[in-house]
Amino acid sequence: MIITTTNKKGGTGKTTLNTLLAEFLYQHGQKVLIIGLDPNCSISEVYGKVLQDQNSKLLLTGREVQPYLLKEHTSGGTLSIIPEDLDLSMLSNVMDTKLKHEIKKQGFAEKYDYIIIDPPGTWNAQTRNAVFAADTIIVSGKCSPLDFKATLQYMDTLQDCCLESEVFVVCNAYNKNRDPGNIWEQYKNAFGDFMIENPIPLVNSFQKLVQNPNYKIPVTVEKRMMNFIQTVTGKEWA
Ligand SMILES: Nc1ncnc2c1ncn2[C@@H]1O[C@H](COP(=O)(O)OP(=O)(O)OP(=O)(O)O)[C@@H](O)[C@H]1O
Ligand SMILES: [Mg+2]
C-alpha cells in the first residue's frame, strides 16, 4: 500500500504523521519504506541521513536506487528510507507520474508492505508525484483557522486531479483547551465522510521515537493514534 500525507500548506504535521505511521507499522512487523520528497530534507533530518548517495532525486530521474535500511525490529519489521536531496527542487519539469512509474519499475511495491511518501507543503512537481503515486492520500491540517482554510482549498485541488485513490482528512495536534473557535467542529462539518473520526492529539515524543531504536511508542499515544492508523491502513491492529 502506498500512502502520501499532504497539504498545500507547510507545517500541517505531514512529516510527523508519516514518521509516526511508519514507526507504528515497523513495530508491528511490517516492511516499511519512507520516500522523502521535500527539498527541505525533512525525512533526512528526522533520521539524520542527509544527502545519502541513494536519494529520491535519483529515483525521480529514473536511476536505480537502493533504499537505506535504517533498522530491523524483533517483530520482523524493517524500516528503510530513500532520503531527499537538497537539489530536489531543481527537478521542476519531471512528469507527475514519474514516481508511480519508478516504484513499479523498481519492484518496491512487492518488496515493502507499506510505502509512505513525504512531500513538501506546497503544490509542485514533487507533491504531484507523491499524490499521483498514492493508493491512499491523507490530507493533514492542524486545528487552526489557516490550516482549515488551506485544507478546504487543497481538497478542491485534489478533486480537480480526478484521482482514483482513497482520500482522508485528519485534524492534527488537537487540544480541546486550545480550540476555543471550535475548528474541530468546522473540519467535521466541512469534510464529513472524508474525516478521520478522531483528531490526532498534541504529542511530544516523536523525536525519542525516531532516535532510539528500542523506543516503544507509549501505550497512551498508541491508543490515541489507533483510529487514525486503522482507518488509513484499513486493518485492525492489536
Ligand atoms: N500531533 C502533534 N503534536 C505535537 N506537535 C506536532 C504534532 N504534529 C506536528 N507537530 C509539530 O508541528 C511542527 C510541524 O510539523 P511537521 O514538520 O510534521 O509538519 P509538515 O507539514 O511536515 O511541515 P513542512 O510543510 O515544513 O514539511 C513540528 O514542530 C512538529 O513537531
Ligand atoms: Mg514535512
Side-chain angles (χ1 to χ4, degrees):
M1 176 184 258
I2 305 174
I3 302 172
T4 291
T5 303
T6 178
N7 202 320
K8 69 172 188 172
K9 177 183 171 300
T12 62
K14 300 175 289 295
T15 304
T16 304
L17 286 179
N18 277 337
T19 307
L20 186 91
L21 189 58
E23 294 282 341
F24 176 94
L25 293 167
Y26 152 79
Q27 289 189 9
H28 283 75
Q30 305 299 300
K31 299 201 178 333
V32 182
L33 170 66
I34 308 178
I35 302 178
L37 281 193
D38 186 346
N40 291 320
C41 296
S42 308
I43 292 299
S44 307
E45 277 202 276
V46 167
Y47 288 106
K49 301 285 171 203
V50 184
L51 300 178
Q52 290 289 312
D53 292 344
Q54 309 293 315
N55 62 56
S56 59
K57 185 183 174 200
L58 296 177
L59 188 61
L60 284 180
T61 47
R63 306 262 284 281
E64 203 166 302
V65 169
Q66 186 63 46
Y68 185 88
L69 177 63
L70 277 179
K71 47 190 179 182
E72 292 176 88
H73 197 264
T74 47
S75 62
T78 60
L79 184 57
S80 303
I81 60 170
I82 297 177
E84 309 88 343
D85 183 294
L86 281 169
D87 240 3
L88 199 52
S89 59
M90 304 311 279
L91 274 186
S92 52
N93 286 328
V94 66
M95 266 176 61
D96 291 345
T97 50
K98 183 68 174 166
L99 182 63
K100 186 184 172 105
H101 176 73
E102 287 303 321
I103 286 174
K104 197 167 177 195
K105 192 179 97 187
Q106 302 200 26
F108 293 147
E110 286 80 51
K111 288 184 196 139
Y112 298 94
D113 301 311
Y114 289 92
I115 299 173
I116 295 177
I117 308 174
D118 190 59
T122 182
W123 185 244
N124 65 5
Q126 284 73 37
T127 305
R128 284 193 294 276
N129 266 278
V131 160
F132 278 69
D135 306 310
T136 296
I137 294 173
I138 305 162
V139 181
S140 154
K142 280 192 176 164
C143 216
S144 77
L146 208 53
D147 278 23
F148 173 65
K149 194 169 177 188
T151 306
L152 271 178
Q153 293 177 354
Y154 193 54
M155 286 294 275
D156 283 344
T157 304
L158 291 180
Q159 203 157 17
D160 289 345
C161 295
C162 302
L163 301 162
E164 284 172 16
S165 38
E166 277 216 85
V167 179
F168 298 107
V169 177
V170 69
C171 182
N172 186 20
Y174 174 73
N175 179 325
K176 210 171 155 192
N177 301 327
R178 294 195 204 170
D179 186 23
N182 231 347
I183 301 285
W184 165 231
E185 281 300 321
Q186 291 186 40
Y187 269 96
K188 280 198 289 189
N189 292 338
F191 301 113
D193 288 347
F194 289 109
M195 204 67 214
I196 290 186
E197 203 179 322
N198 299 322
I200 304 288
L202 266 175
V203 176
N204 295 311
S205 51
F206 295 115
Q207 263 335 88
K208 282 190 233 156
L209 188 71
V210 293
Q211 280 165 5
N212 177 356
N214 299 315
Y215 184 78
K216 180 94 185 71
I217 299 173
V219 177
T220 48
V221 176
E222 188 163 319
K223 270 192 184 156
R224 286 188 290 171
M225 296 293 171
M226 203 55 110
N227 166 251
F228 165 70
I229 290 165
Q230 288 187 167
T231 308
V232 166
T233 60
K235 278 192 191 170
E236 294 279 327
W237 298 93

